Amino acid sequence: RSQIKLFVHILQAEGAGVAAAINAASLALADAGIPMKDTVCACTAGILGRRVAIDLTREEEMAGGAQVIAGILAGTQEVSLLEVESKVPEGMFAPMYEAAVAGCAQIAMEMKACLLEH
């Protein structure tokens, strides 16, 4: 067995830094041919006003509203990461979670296309 350590240095944070780092690390490992159970993709979702939005900007993250970071295994849609920041208003967790997972599914398709292209 071997162990791989990944270090991600974010040069400029425009929002969704954790999700971007997860996506970049997963793509880098897959591109390097490292055997993995599946690729991992991540997306953020939060509440802006009274609406749910995905892929929050830095300003939207800093506004202090509730947000969710979800990471899924691209092939099985199995959740590998779920992080909630701030208090979520009643009845808003499910829409935020569903939006984040839907965002992950879209990112997974883009990641797959990128890997197939290279």
Side-chain angles (χ1 to χ4, degrees):
R1 294 214 177 257
S2 14
Q3 182 178 14
I4 298 173
K5 288 186 180 184
L6 279 170
F7 298 90
V8 178
H9 185 79
I10 299 173
L11 298 175
Q12 184 173 351
E14 295 296 329
V18 172
I22 290 168
N23 295 333
S26 185
L27 276 173
L29 291 170
D31 188 53
I34 306 298
M36 298 185 293
K37 178 180 177 181
D38 203 347
T39 55
V40 178
C41 50
C43 185
T44 60
I47 300 173
L48 300 178
R50 292 189 174 114
R51 300 181 66 185
V52 174
I54 61 171
D55 194 25
L56 302 177
T57 66
R58 184 169 189 251
E59 291 78 23
E60 292 165 345
E61 287 180 345
M62 300 306 253
Q67 53 184 304
V68 169
I69 302 170
I72 64 168
L73 300 179
T76 63
Q77 302 291 305
E78 181 181 332
V79 176
S80 62
L81 167 72
L82 181 60
E83 183 177 318
V84 180
E85 295 184 15
S86 192
K87 185 175 180 179
V88 178
E90 188 174 336
M92 292 303 292
F93 176 77
M96 286 174 53
Y97 171 76
E98 291 165 6
V101 170
C104 287
Q106 182 66 37
I107 291 168
M109 288 191 300
E110 296 295 329
M111 288 171 63
K112 183 178 180 178
C114 181
L115 288 169
L116 291 174
E117 183 179 311
H118 295 278

